[in-house]
C-alpha cells in the first residue's frame, strides 16, 4: 500500500448574487472526496471520506460561519466507510450516514451519532439491499428516516 498523503479540500461561500464571500482550504490526511456540506446552527458541517492507511473512514469538520475549523474528527469500522450525509439533531449533535462496504458487492448502511463537539456517542450498521444511502432525516422523538437507492436486478 502506498503511503497516505494529505490532500486539500476547498470550500467557498457565495452570496445570493454568486459573489465569493470567503474561500478556505482544509488539509486532511488521505481525504479523497468531500460528500456533503450542510448549514448548521452557527456554521457548517463538512463530511468526507479519509484513508486511514488500511481502509476508509468518515471524517467530519465543524466550521464556524467564516469557515474556520472548530473541530475535526474521524469515525469508522475496519471496512470501507463512505459518508454521504450529515443531519443536525435536536440535542445539538449530529447524525452522519453513509455506507460501509466489504469488497465491492456487500454494503451496509452505517450511521454515526455524535454530540455537539463531535465526540462519538454510538454507531449502528444496518444490512440492507441498498446501493447507496442518500439522505437522513431526524424526526425527533419519532426516530430517524434514511433515504436509500435500491438496485433492482
Amino acid at each position: 500500500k502506498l503511503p497516505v498523503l494529505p490532500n486539500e479540500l476547498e470550500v467557498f461561500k457565495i452570496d445570493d448574487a454568486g459573489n465569493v464571500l470567503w474561500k478556505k482550504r482544509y488539509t486532511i490526511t488521505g481525504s479523497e472526496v468531500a460528500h456533503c456540506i450542510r448549514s448548521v446552527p452557527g456554521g457548517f458541517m463538512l463530511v468526507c471520506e479519509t484513508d486511514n492507511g488500511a481502509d476508509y473512514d468518515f471524517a467530519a469538520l465543524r466550521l464556524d460561519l467564516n469557515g474556520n475549523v472548530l473541530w475535526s474528527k474521524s469515525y469508522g469500522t475496519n471496512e470501507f466507510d463512505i459518508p454521504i450525509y450529515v443531519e443536525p439533531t435536536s440535542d445539538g449533535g449530529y447524525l452522519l450516514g453513509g455506507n460501509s462496504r466489504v469488497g465491492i458487492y456487500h454494503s451496509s448502511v452505517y450511521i454515526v451519532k455524535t454530540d455537539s463537539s463531535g465526540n462519538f456517542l454510538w454507531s449502528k450498521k444496518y444490512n440492507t439491499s441498498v446501493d447507496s444511502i442518500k439522505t437522513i432525516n431526524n424526526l425527533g422523538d419519532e426516530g430517524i428516516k434514511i433515504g436509500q437507492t435500491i438496485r433492482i436486478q
Side-chain angles (χ1 to χ4, degrees):
K1 184 152 174 86
L2 295 173
V4 177
L5 301 173
N7 291 319
E8 287 188 335
L9 299 174
E10 187 172 75
V11 174
F12 55 97
K13 182 178 177 181
I14 59 173
D15 64 18
D16 291 339
N19 301 307
V20 176
L21 299 174
W22 54 256
K23 182 177 3 178
K24 303 275 184 163
R25 286 187 175 189
Y26 310 100
T27 302
I28 302 171
T29 300
S31 180
E32 299 290 327
V33 178
H35 288 280
C36 179
I37 187 163
R38 273 298 292 264
S39 293
V40 297
F44 307 94
M45 277 287 287
L46 171 67
V47 293
C48 57
E49 59 193 69
T50 184
D51 184 343
N52 67 19
D55 54 43
Y56 291 102
D57 287 334
F58 288 15
L61 280 78
R62 176 67 168 87
L63 310 175
D64 68 14
L65 290 170
N66 296 311
N68 301 309
V69 176
L70 299 174
W71 52 259
S72 67
K73 308 271 180 155
S74 63
Y75 320 91
T77 68
N78 59 353
E79 298 171 356
F80 289 89
D81 306 318
I82 309 298
I84 302 297
Y85 204 74
V86 61
E87 174 80 4
T89 57
S90 58
D91 63 1
Y94 303 95
L95 289 169
L96 287 73
N99 299 80
S100 186
R101 293 188 185 276
V102 178
I104 61 171
Y105 296 109
H106 179 70
S107 181
S108 300
V109 170
Y110 179 50
I111 306 291
V112 173
K113 171 72 169 100
T114 73
D115 67 13
S116 61
S117 298
N119 298 310
F120 176 88
L121 297 177
W122 56 260
S123 68
K124 302 277 185 195
K125 287 173 65 175
Y126 304 93
N127 291 323
T128 66
S129 59
V130 302
D131 184 37
S132 179
I133 183 175
K134 296 297 179 190
T135 63
I136 302 172
N137 297 106
N138 179 27
L139 304 175
D141 292 339
E142 296 178 32
I144 301 166
K145 180 176 71 173
I146 300 169
Q148 309 167 11
T149 300
I150 299 173
R151 180 180 300 153
I152 300 175
Q153 300 177 352

